Amino acid sequence: MSIELAFRLDRGDFSLDLSLALPGAGVSAVFGPSGCGKTTLLRIMAGLERSAVGHLRVGGRTWQDVNQFVPPHRRAVGYVFQEPSLFPHRSVEGNLRYGLRRSQGNGDNSRLEQSIELLGIRHLLARRPHQLSGGEQQRVAIARALAMEPALLLLDEPLAGLDEARRHEILPYLERLHRELVLPMIYVSHSREEVARLADHLVVMDNGRVQAEGSLTDVFARLDLAIAGQPGAETVIEGVVDDYDPRDGVVRVNSDAGPLHAVLGQLETGQPVRLQVQARDVSVALTAPQDSSILNVMPARIEDLAEQGAGHVMLRLRVGDAVLLARVSRRSARELSLQSGLEVHAQVKSVALLG
Amino acid sequence: MPGSDDLTALWITLQLAAVSTLILLVVGTPLAWWLARTQWRFRFVVEAMVALPLVLPPTVLGFYLLIALGPEGPIGSLMEALGGQPLAFTFSGLVIGSVVYSLPFVVQPLQNAFSAVGRRPMEVAATLRASPMDRFFTVAVPLAAPGFLTAAVLGFAHTLGEFGVVLMIGGNIPGSTQVVSIAVYDHVEALDYTSAHWLSGGLLLMSMLMLMAVYALNRRFLVVRL
């Protein structure tokens, strides 16, 4: 199953023109500045923007093309709006059952139970929406969409309206959905952190157009995009826990970049993990350092480099099958004569566990 | 003690107010919904027409209704052609007059309530598989409940206090089209202040009780709405 779409929309001051093929599983993040058309794209997919012209096929079913327009209430879609949007005249349970009853009758409660469990909202069922915090409301709204067993879950910046603490309260639930459900999700966000933690596939939008698209690791490492030019630029590497040394707490992760060592706390062998490497924590050396305190030193090749600000150069390194960003000073780049194609040794000072 | 004509007048008044309010809610709800949602550029023309009874003297409105409903008027002659009676000087005629006269008092609160609901809850309901009719009744109507209450009370109360329109198109036929407000006027004209007191006091008490009940209820609605 996959999601194919192509749409055009013209609203005078804003136009959207894009075509995409998104994977039928996992999280596809749509990333971009506000006003770039991310939300409009989601609304088009849900059938809430009738003036958009184009086609949309989800898992072999056509939701929209030249000849037909499936109205929003007949699309197997779950939509989580930026603000929680619970019905104030219904209890939490009444909210959850509203979509459930209309999508599959009253018979099957298993998906409802699963949604309640996944979002941890069992203790809230009897409450009214106004008695919940913003974060709780948003968890209920996500569960409400999930309970209908949609073919596609659309999330429109579900954390944007929340403060930092609430955001970190909900992120683990979203990561859990990602791990435990095969349901394809499209996650609109302008937050790097959310994208790094949740996305498998990434679409970068700007001004109603698709600027870049691909796997998260590839797109994050592209130097021609603004996304790599930010000071907090990082690379995301996925791997599997291979070993845990109880003497000093060092975990060895088999990743696409080769074995990585880091102090991440105790992890189960065989557990899949998502690691984050900050570009500023990666340095390069022309010869392999002999007696360094840095745990991870790996042979690498410089694939690309771009100047960043007045004093820095961002390098894209190929390490094994993975890509790492490294941020070095412009002086080092000059003195070491760093250039594309050069073989170096990448030193990774710090690796963080995402989620 | 009020005479039997007075009690009949009271009964007719209540019937008139109840029937008119019911019809107003049925007619006013779709009209208010449409006004709250339409992007039509000439919406203001319809809004002005709905608001007309607010500024027009009731006698003017009553005069035109009398013409329209009478045997020579378009509605009256249509009724006659269909084998019925002209509507002037009948209870049905009073109902039509009241509906026109009280329309803004029902449509405006409903329109405001529907506008306050906004598009978002309706979109949410759509993504939760509710058809347009379904989401109107399960989302828009409950969320606009305070508006319905206000509309019903204003429609009822306004019809209760109607004088000029009724006088023009209903005449003053005791036992058939005489309502309380006109009966009071007649009693005062005849210097029968005792009867005027009974009727006026009764209407005053009834209106007060009704409004108190509504405000008490409305407070509960507001608590729910918070």
Side-chain angles (χ1 to χ4, degrees):
Chain A
M1 123 149 212
S2 74
I3 300 154
E4 293 161 48
L5 61 114
F7 279 103
R8 291 161 70 102
L9 177 73
D10 205 338
R11 276 204 294 239
D13 53 338
F14 171 79
S15 77
L16 180 136
D17 186 354
L18 48 76
S19 92
L20 282 170
L22 300 171
V27 175
S28 297
V30 179
F31 181 87
S34 54
C36 72
K38 314 185 288 284
T39 297
T40 306
L41 173 62
L42 278 203
R43 291 177 56 84
I44 290 172
M45 295 181 78
L48 297 174
E49 294 283 344
R50 286 208 77 138
S51 51
V53 181
H55 70 263
L56 168 61
R57 270 184 284 282
V58 176
R61 296 191 63 158
T62 300
W63 286 1
Q64 184 173 348
D65 63 16
V66 197
N67 302 312
Q68 59 175 323
F69 178 88
V70 179
H73 65 279
R74 298 228 175 81
R75 299 186 181 196
V77 68
Y79 201 116
V80 179
F81 291 84
Q82 182 167 339
E83 71 288 347
S85 308
L86 298 182
F87 295 133
H89 60 298
R90 283 169 184 261
S91 67
V92 167
E93 184 168 0
N95 267 280
L96 293 173
R97 290 195 180 274
Y98 187 92
L100 184 69
R101 212 179 68 230
R102 285 162 176 80
S103 59
Q104 52 203 40
N106 272 326
D108 185 14
N109 269 344
S110 58
R111 192 55 181 258
L112 175 65
E113 289 299 315
Q114 189 194 11
S115 309
I116 292 170
E117 216 47 62
L118 274 170
L119 276 304
I121 54 171
R122 187 169 298 285
H123 60 295
L124 305 175
L125 290 180
R127 299 216 199 142
R128 312 289 299 192
H130 69 89
Q131 295 171 301
L132 309 183
S133 72
E136 287 170 338
Q137 287 189 32
Q138 198 57 294
R139 271 152 64 196
V140 173
I142 295 168
R144 181 175 68 177
L146 272 182
M148 296 188 301
E149 263 185 278
L152 172 64
L153 183 63
L154 304 173
L155 301 116
D156 183 11
E157 307 215 37
L159 308 184
L162 305 171
D163 59 40
E164 194 63 20
R166 300 268 171 245
R167 224 191 301 267
H168 283 100
E169 165 199 318
I170 297 193
L171 264 172
Y173 290 106
L174 291 173
E175 281 166 342
R176 198 163 154 197
L177 299 187
H178 182 204
R179 270 199 313 273
E180 298 184 16
L181 303 178
V182 284
L183 168 73
M185 299 181 226
I186 300 184
Y187 189 97
V188 159
S189 179
H190 66 263
S191 153
R192 257 188 98 78
E193 186 202 352
E194 289 167 26
V195 170
R197 285 175 67 161
L198 292 170
D200 305 302
H201 193 82
L202 181 57
V203 176
V204 180
M205 275 184 74
D206 193 27
N207 213 3
R209 309 289 188 276
V210 171
Q211 212 181 20
E213 186 207 353
S215 76
L216 174 75
T217 43
D218 287 352
V219 177
F220 258 25
R222 273 183 55 181
L223 298 182
D224 55 330
L225 300 174
I227 196 167
Q230 298 171 4
E234 78 271 79
T235 332
V236 174
I237 295 178
E238 304 207 298
V240 176
V241 175
D242 188 37
D243 183 44
Y244 170 73
D245 190 337
R247 281 174 308 168
D248 45 23
V250 168
V251 174
R252 187 172 70 218
V253 175
N254 263 339
S255 75
D256 294 341
L260 278 171
H261 299 83
V263 181
L264 302 172
Q266 187 167 357
L267 294 171
E268 294 289 322
T269 303
Q271 182 183 334
V273 287
R274 179 174 278 214
L275 303 172
Q276 168 183 283
V277 179
Q278 296 282 346
R280 61 169 180 267
D281 290 335
V282 180
S283 58
V284 295
L286 293 181
T287 55
Q290 294 303 312
D291 35 17
S292 164
S293 69
I294 287 172
L295 288 175
N296 301 294
V297 180
M298 296 164 291
R301 196 178 72 246
I302 298 176
E303 282 194 338
D304 195 5
L305 69 179
E307 290 181 359
Q308 206 191 31
H312 289 96
V313 173
M314 188 70 88
L315 310 175
R316 189 175 75 220
L317 306 174
R318 170 66 58 178
V319 184
D321 290 328
V323 173
L324 276 182
L325 289 181
R327 184 164 173 261
V328 301
S329 70
R330 185 177 284 202
R331 173 177 294 184
S332 313
R334 189 179 62 237
E335 288 178 354
L336 298 178
S337 308
L338 299 181
Q339 54 184 298
S340 288
L342 188 67
E343 301 284 342
V344 294
H345 295 269
Q347 311 178 96
V348 180
K349 189 176 172 200
S350 163
V351 175
L353 190 63
L354 276 175
Chain B
M1 284 299 290
S4 70
D5 274 358
D6 290 342
L7 288 179
T8 311
L10 187 65
W11 177 233
I12 288 172
T13 306
L14 289 178
Q15 274 182 307
L16 178 63
V19 172
S20 303
T21 304
L22 212 66
I23 293 176
L24 277 167
L25 286 177
V26 172
V27 175
T29 302
L31 182 57
W33 179 250
W34 179 77
L35 284 173
R37 308 269 295 192
T38 186
Q39 312 270 345
W40 191 46
R41 52 199 287 226
F42 294 116
R43 184 184 71 176
F44 68 93
V45 177
V46 180
E47 284 180 310
M49 278 168 64
V50 169
L52 213 50
L54 288 175
V55 294
L56 225 49
T59 45
V60 171
L61 196 67
F63 171 65
Y64 282 121
L65 279 167
L66 180 68
I67 303 282
L69 298 178
E72 306 294 316
I75 300 174
S77 54
L78 182 74
M79 288 301 291
E80 277 196 324
L82 294 173
Q85 303 250 318
L87 292 168
F89 306 110
T90 65
F91 182 77
S92 307
L94 285 193
V95 170
I96 294 177
S98 304
V99 165
V100 174
Y101 185 49
S102 299
L103 194 63
F105 291 84
V106 170
V107 170
Q108 289 184 350
L110 286 179
Q111 188 185 342
N112 290 340
F114 286 140
S115 297
V117 169
R119 280 176 186 272
R120 181 44 59 81
M122 301 303 282
E123 289 183 348
V124 173
T127 65
L128 293 170
R129 313 280 186 281
S131 67
M133 201 57 109
D134 183 2
R135 52 193 191 248
F136 176 75
F137 283 110
T138 58
V139 176
V141 170
L143 290 182
F148 275 94
L149 192 66
T150 309
V153 170
L154 288 181
F156 191 88
H158 194 244
T159 308
L160 217 56
E162 188 179 323
F163 183 82
V165 175
V166 175
L167 197 64
M168 294 296 283
I169 62 171
N172 189 2
I173 307 167
S176 160
T177 61
Q178 192 187 54
V179 295
V180 171
S181 56
I182 294 174
V184 170
Y185 182 76
D186 279 357
H187 287 315
V188 175
E189 285 254 280
L191 297 176
D192 179 4
Y193 277 34
T194 318
S195 297
H197 265 303
W198 273 107
L199 265 189
S200 301
L203 203 60
L204 178 69
L205 187 72
M206 217 169 58
S207 306
M208 188 62 197
L209 286 176
M210 196 176 69
L211 287 177
M212 280 197 315
V214 159
Y215 278 109
L217 262 174
N218 217 0
R219 204 172 54 207
R220 241 185 52 217
F221 267 111
L222 285 174
V223 171
V224 172
R225 223 163 43 133
L226 267 178

